[in-house]
Amino acid sequence: MISRPSLPLATLLLAALTGVLSAQENSAPEWPILKPAADRGPLPGTEALTAEGDLTRQMMEGIDRFLDGRIAASVEGRATRWKRDAASPEAYAKSVAPNREHLAKMLGLDRDARPAENRFEFAGLSPGPLAEGDGYRVYRVRWTAIGAVEGRGLLLVPDKDIRLDAIALPDADVTPEALAGLTPESPCTPYAAALARAGCRVLVPMLIDRNEERFQLTQREWLHRPAFELGRHLIGYELHKIFAGLDCLAASRPERADRPFAIAGWGEGGLLSLYAAALDERIAAACVSGYFGPREALWTEPAEHNVFGLLREFGDAEIASLIAPRPLVIEHGAYPDFVYRPDAEGNPERLDESAKKPGKPGRFRRFTAEEVKGEADRLRSLVNLSVFRFRLIESGTSISAHALTALLEGANLADAADMKIAFTPPPADAEGDSAPLSGHRAEQAAQIDRHNQWALIESRQDRANYFADLKTDSLGNFEGTIEPYREKFRAEVVGAWDLDRLPPNARSRKLEEGPKTVSYEVTLDVFPDVFAYGILTLPKDLKLDGQEKRPVVVCQHGLEGRPQDVVGEEKFKAYKAFATRLAERGFVTFAPQNAYIFFDLFRLQQFKAQSLGGTLFSTIVPQHRQITDWLASLPFTDAERIAFYGLSYGGKSAMRIPPLVDRYCLSICSGDFNEWVWKNAATDEKSLRYSYANKREYEIFEWNLGGTFNYAEMAALICPRPFMVERGHFDGVAPDETVGYEFAKVRNLYDGLLGIGDRCKIEWFAGPHTINSTGTFAFLHKHLDWPAPKP
C-alpha cells in the first residue's frame, strides 16, 4: 500500500473549494437559459404591444388614478345610501336611523357590550378631590367600558348647582389634567375647567396617546392593527368609554334625569365628539374643534383613522347630519401638530433609509377655512330642517370661549346667558395624591391589548357562528350553501367595485425564447386607467391553430415581485423559474403582475381602497377575471383547466383570488398558508416573531377576518375544487404547528366531511420560503390531466 504525504488542512480545503467552483463554472446553470426574442411580433390574434418603459410602474400608476377617481366620485354616490325624510324632526331621526346603525357597525361597536349597570369608582390615594379650582373640584374616576377595559379620567364638579353634564375630550397627546386647568403649559385651552366654572359637571376621559415606545409604532396604531383584524376599532373602543361614561353620569343623577348632556372635543377628541354625538342621541349638543372638514383624503391620515367603507356612505358632513336636529358647533381654529413618517410624503415608492419605521405614514389633517366652509355647506344642503341649529365659528385656538358659549346656548339651558365662560390660571394642587393621571396610560393601553387577545381567542367561535348555515352532510348540500359565503367574501371582505370590465383589447409582443419555450409580454384592459400585465409562456411544440387544448397554470409572484421573477434567472433561488419549468413540461403558463409593488405606493393604495370598502384585491380580482377569460378564449387552451399557483404574497393571492374567479379550477398556496388571523392579531412575545402586529407590512390587516374568514374558511370557498399547500419546514412565515393546525381543518372538510380527500394535499419539505416544485408539479399533472414527463 502506497501512502500519501499529509497536507495542511487549509490546503486541502482550498483545493476542495477550487474544485467545486471549477465544477460550477463548467456546469450548466440551474435556471433556464432564455434569450431576448429577435422577432418582437405579437401573438396571433392580438394587437402589437408598442408601449415602452416600465409596464409594472405604468400599471400601478393607473390603479392609483383609478382609486383617486373612485374616491372623488364617492361624494356624490353617498346619496343613494340615504333616505332622509325632512317632514319633521321625528321623521328625520327615524329616516337616518339605519345609517346610524351602519356607522356603529363600521366601528365595531356591535361586537362588545357595555355593562347594564355602571357607576364611577373614585380613584386615588385619598378620598378627597385631586385639586380644587375656582368654583369646582377635581376627582379621579374610573369606570367599566367593555369586558376588562376601563375608562379613566377626571371628573370636575362645580361648587354651585349643576346645570349640565358634559364630556370634554382632549387630543390624544393632551392629558386630562391640561383640560382641567391643572397644568400651566398645554397646546389647548382648559375648556373642561371653563365649563366647570360655568356650572357644568364635566367628565374628561383619557385617550390612548401616540408615543412610540414599542417597535417605533405609535401606541394607537399598535392597538388598532389587531383590533381591525378582529372587527373592532380603536375609535370604537374609545367611544365605548365615552358612552359608558354617559351611563355613569346618568346613574349618578336619578333625580335629575332631564339634565342635558353635551360633548366637546379638540383634535382626536374632536373626531370622537363628532362620532359620539352622531351615534348617541342622549347628547343634546356637540362642539367639534380642530377636526371637521372634507374627509376624502382619509388614506393620508394615521392608520387608526381608517374605517373600512366609510367614504361610501359618510364624509364628515354625513356623520354630522346624524346629529341633526340637535345643535352642533364646528370650530375652525388650531389643529394638533402630528405627523408620522414624513419621509413617505411625496415619495411613496421607497422607504427612506433614515426612517425605517414600521407604521403607516400619516398626519393629522389641517383644513383651510375654505375647506371647512365647503364641508359645512354640504352639511346644510343635506339637512333640510329649519330647527337644526348649526354654528360655524372661526378662531385661532382650540375650543374658544365663543365656541363653548355657543355649545351651552345650544343645549337649551334657560340660564345659559348667566353661565359665563372664562379661562383662568391653573389652581393649586390639593395635598395628597398628585401623581399625574397620564401615568395610567400604559395600563389603559394594556387593557385594550388584552381585550384584543381575548377577542382573538373568541374569534374561532365567531367564525363558526358566521358559518352556521353551511351544510357539510353531503357534497351537493355543501355546494348549495357555500355560494352565499363567496358572495359575502366578495362584497364584505375583499370588496368589489361592481363595474363592467372593458373589452380586453389584448396587446402582446414576443419577449424571450428558450430551448423549449417562447414567451410574450401581454397587456389587457380592465377598467378605465386599469390594465392587467403579464408574461405568457408557451411550449414550442404547442400547435397554435387549435388542434390541441393545453391546460394553463397561472404562476404568481410574491411581495415586490414582477412576472420576470417566476420565468428566469431573476430571483431563481425563491421561484425556481417555475413558470418556465411548467411550460417545459407542456403546460401553458401565464405570470401576472399583481398590485403589491413599490413599498408605500401599493400600501397606501390599500388604504385608499379600504376607505371605499375595498382592498388591493378589489382591483386584482377583476384583473384575474380578465386574464382567465382571455386565456380561455385562446384556441390552444382548455378553458376548464386553468390553475393558480402562487408563492408568498402570491400564496396570499391563492387564498383570495380563486374563491372569486370561477375559471380557476384549482389553487396551490405556497409559502403563505397558516393560521392567518393569529398571524395578524397576536401580540404576545412568543408570537411576535411571526406576527404582523409589529412589522412593516402595515397594509396587511383586513377588516374583521377574525369574525368571518380565516384560511380554513377561505379554502372552503375554493372547495370542492382541488387545493394544495406547499410548506417548507424552515419557512419563517409561521411555525409548522400553526400551519398544520389550520390545514387540519381544511383536510377535515375535504376528506372527513365531503369524502373528496384526493383533492386536498399538503407537501412538507426540508427547505425555506421557496417553490419546491415536486409535490405541486405532480398535483398539477394529476388534476389538470396532463401527462408528466418520463424520468
Side-chain angles (χ1 to χ4, degrees), residues 111 230 232 454-468 704-709 713:
R111 303 303 304 276
L230 296 164
R232 276 89 170 168
W454 168 84
L456 174 58
I457 294 169
E458 293 294 306
S459 68
R460 182 179 182 183
Q461 186 58 50
D462 292 340
R463 294 189 297 276
N465 295 340
Y466 185 78
F467 272 82
N704 196 25
L705 279 193
T708 55
F709 298 90
E713 289 78 20

Side-chain angles (χ1 to χ4, degrees), residues 134 158 201 216 297 404 569 636 737:
D134 180 15
R201 184 173 58 159
Q216 293 187 294
L404 290 181
E569 179 181 353
F636 47 83
E737 58 267 28

Side-chain angles (χ1 to χ4, degrees), residues 446-666:
Q447 288 177 0
I448 292 177
D449 186 24
R450 288 194 292 269
H451 189 82
N452 282 338
Q453 298 312 292
W454 168 84
L456 174 58
I457 294 169
E458 293 294 306
S459 68
R460 182 179 182 183
Q461 186 58 50
D462 292 340
R463 294 189 297 276
N465 295 340
Y466 185 78
F467 272 82
D469 293 332
L470 180 66
K471 298 185 183 301
T472 57
D473 55 328
S474 71
L475 185 57
N477 283 341
F478 172 82
E479 292 181 306
T481 55
I482 193 63
E483 193 58 38
Y485 289 99
R486 291 194 184 106
E487 176 56 26
K488 289 181 179 181
F489 187 65
R490 183 193 75 87
E492 300 172 11
V493 177
V494 168
W497 302 133
D498 290 328
L499 293 173
D500 292 333
R501 283 178 280 136
L502 299 172
N505 187 25
R507 302 168 299 281
S508 71
R509 61 185 171 218
K510 192 175 290 186
L511 178 65
E512 293 175 322
E513 289 192 55
K516 299 181 180 180
T517 63
V518 58
S519 61
Y520 294 82
E521 283 187 301
V522 179
T523 64
L524 306 169
D525 293 337
V526 180
F527 298 136
D529 287 320
V530 178
F531 66 90
Y533 163 58
I535 296 176
L536 177 73
T537 302
L538 307 177
K540 280 188 171 179
D541 64 353
L542 173 66
K543 296 179 177 62
L544 303 183
D545 57 4
Q547 295 184 42
E548 61 174 333
K549 301 282 189 180
R550 295 281 183 99
V552 183
V553 183
V554 173
C555 301
Q556 192 61 65
H557 64 76
L559 182 65
E560 297 290 345
R562 293 173 179 261
Q564 290 78 2
D565 298 340
V566 306
V567 171
E569 179 181 353
E570 187 73 19
K571 297 188 180 179
F572 181 83
K573 183 177 180 181
Y575 294 105
K576 305 294 193 298
F578 74 113
T580 300
R581 292 307 189 206
L582 285 167
E584 291 172 344
R585 288 170 165 256
F587 297 101
V588 171
T589 68
F590 189 84
Q593 176 67 65
N594 266 8
Y596 35 77
I597 188 171
F598 302 135
F599 202 84
D600 285 314
L601 178 62
F602 88 84
R603 292 191 162 96
L604 293 176
Q605 287 178 359
Q606 171 86 321
F607 282 82
K608 289 182 179 184
Q610 286 185 337
S611 72
L612 296 167
T615 61
L616 294 175
F617 288 95
S618 302
T619 306
I620 294 172
V621 166
Q623 287 177 314
H624 278 257
R625 285 181 176 154
Q626 196 79 313
I627 288 167
T628 54
D629 283 353
W630 177 72
L631 289 170
S633 73
L634 297 175
F636 47 83
T637 62
D638 186 342
E640 303 300 317
R641 293 185 291 167
I642 303 177
F644 188 97
Y645 183 2
L647 171 69
S648 195
Y649 224 111
K652 176 180 163 77
S653 301
M655 303 307 301
R656 289 159 179 79
I657 298 173
L660 303 178
V661 178
D662 293 339
R663 287 202 181 276
Y664 283 127
C665 69
L666 69 79

Side-chain angles (χ1 to χ4, degrees), residues 365-385:
R365 293 291 309 283
R366 293 170 175 263
F367 297 111
T368 65
E370 291 75 18
E371 288 173 322
V372 176
K373 182 180 182 300
E375 193 70 4
D377 289 344
R378 276 208 326 113
L379 171 59
R380 291 188 178 98
S381 72
L382 294 173
V383 182
N384 188 22
L385 290 171

Side-chain angles (χ1 to χ4, degrees), residues 34 58 111 114 162 214 261 282 291 293 327 364 372 437 442 513 522 530 532 541 623 636 686 689 733 737 764:
L34 304 176
Q58 293 170 28
R111 303 303 304 276
R114 302 194 306 276
I162 299 172
R214 301 198 71 185
F261 289 117
R282 293 178 295 177
Y291 177 74
F364 201 97
V372 176
L437 187 66
E513 289 192 55
V522 179
V530 178
D541 64 353
Q623 287 177 314
F636 47 83
K686 181 179 179 181
R689 173 184 172 186
V733 164
E737 58 267 28
W764 305 88

